Amino acid sequence: MAVDTRTPTQAAKPARRTSSVGLKILMAVTGIVLVLFLFAHMIGNLKIFVGATSFDHYAHWLRDLGAPLLPHTWFLWIQRAGLTLAVVTHIAAAVVLARRARAARPVRYAHRPKVQGSYAARTMRWGGVIILLFVIFHILDLTTGHLNPIGDREHPYANVVADFAPERWYVTLFYTLAILAVGFHLRHGIFSAVRTLGQQTVAGERVARTVALVLAVTLVAGYLSVPFAVLTGLVA
Ligand code: HEM
């Protein structure tokens, strides 16, 4: 007969609805969905180097993706719903995991311990908040056009060029800081996801670290190339 080795307090606790490992897998999977979007979006943005016609054509094509199977802009709205669900799930899982980690600590730290993991690991929470605020600003800027000097939805190339004009250097500065925050967030996020889903060995951890660094640097360089190309007159 199996012996219940749990203490009375442990036995009295109701079973948790989702295990912490389950939540980490949820974070990893939703994070991967967001990273896939970020790569697709970055590659699309690089079309700006081909010229206005190509970039604007690409933006229009995005709205017709899935046609004739799906009516105009349906794919875009399905993508938006999917991304929103991924972001909300990602944040909710992060909040629950952070609360559990705090509750599991027997006493609150009287002072912050010196060893706290990498810089990227320590900035996950605030990095995430900055990215969320940036995405809201970014949608009002380049999707709806409300915060853009031109804001013409039919001509995204012109919107981007007006956005990063040299006299609006503060916009480029804000984008740069936000994209660097994305880079730091991804470096730690991809590392955690690969570690959660992959082999948890020393060699596996080394692979996870390298994959995370290469992907994060590629994304940051790809995204930053656009505002700096406009700022320096390479794209006009
Ligand atoms: C300098 C870098 C970036 C440029 C030039 C850029 C450009 C654009 C443009 C032109 C659009 C509007 C597309 C259209 O409606 O025709 C857009 C939409 C969007 N961008 Fe970016 N983007 C950049 C960075 C980012 C980053 C770092 C993120 C995420 C962290 C992001 C997330 C989005 C989202 C969520 C949308 C809305 C897509 C939709 O309409 O559903 N972008 N971007």
Side-chain angles (χ1 to χ4, degrees):
M1 201 180 77
V3 180
D4 190 347
T5 54
R6 291 174 300 171
T7 64
T9 335
Q10 282 172 334
K13 270 189 190 166
R16 272 185 180 145
R17 294 225 324 277
T18 315
S19 73
S20 292
V21 174
L23 286 175
K24 281 187 185 167
I25 292 176
L26 210 55
M27 282 206 77
V29 172
T30 49
I32 288 170
V33 169
L34 296 170
V35 168
L36 288 178
F37 165 76
L38 279 177
F39 265 96
H41 187 36
M42 181 200 79
I43 294 168
N45 284 349
L46 293 179
K47 277 193 154 284
I48 205 148
F49 292 102
V50 185
T53 316
S54 170
F55 190 73
D56 288 353
H57 176 262
Y58 160 73
H60 293 142
W61 169 80
L62 275 182
R63 286 167 210 165
D64 270 328
L65 210 68
L69 190 65
L70 296 173
H72 181 67
T73 74
W74 269 48
F75 175 85
L76 200 60
W77 282 105
I78 293 169
Q79 181 187 283
R80 284 170 180 165
L83 287 177
T84 309
L85 186 67
V87 169
V88 170
T89 312
H90 196 75
I91 295 173
V95 169
V96 175
L97 280 170
R99 282 206 187 135
R100 281 188 190 169
R102 208 176 312 127
R105 240 173 254 151
V107 269
R108 284 188 67 83
Y109 293 129
H111 57 87
R112 287 183 155 253
K114 284 209 174 90
V115 183
Q116 281 197 336
S118 68
Y119 178 76
R122 280 184 281 125
T123 52
M124 286 312 270
R125 187 180 312 171
W126 288 110
V129 173
I130 292 170
I131 295 166
L132 189 64
L133 293 177
F134 161 74
V135 171
I136 295 169
F137 169 84
H138 181 55
I139 288 175
L140 291 173
D141 175 17
L142 286 172
T143 300
T144 69
H146 286 93
L147 297 179
N148 190 274
I150 294 184
D152 176 356
R153 301 200 63 183
E154 292 306 308
H155 297 97
Y157 183 95
N159 295 339
V160 171
V161 170
D163 217 13
F164 302 121
E167 62 275 17
R168 282 167 54 88
W169 56 270
Y170 48 89
V171 175
T172 300
L173 180 65
F174 176 53
Y175 266 76
T176 304
L177 294 176
I179 288 164
L180 287 175
V182 171
F184 276 113
H185 197 85
L186 288 191
R187 180 158 73 99
H188 185 72
I190 295 171
F191 166 67
S192 303
V194 175
R195 205 180 40 175
T196 298
L197 302 176
Q199 286 199 326
Q200 285 162 16
T201 57
V202 175
E205 197 150 298
R206 207 177 308 127
V207 171
R209 213 175 283 284
T210 312
V211 168
L213 184 65
V214 170
L215 292 182
V217 169
T218 308
L219 271 179
V220 168
Y223 274 117
L224 283 185
S225 67
V226 176
F228 281 91
V230 176
L231 189 72
T232 55
L234 192 65
V235 166

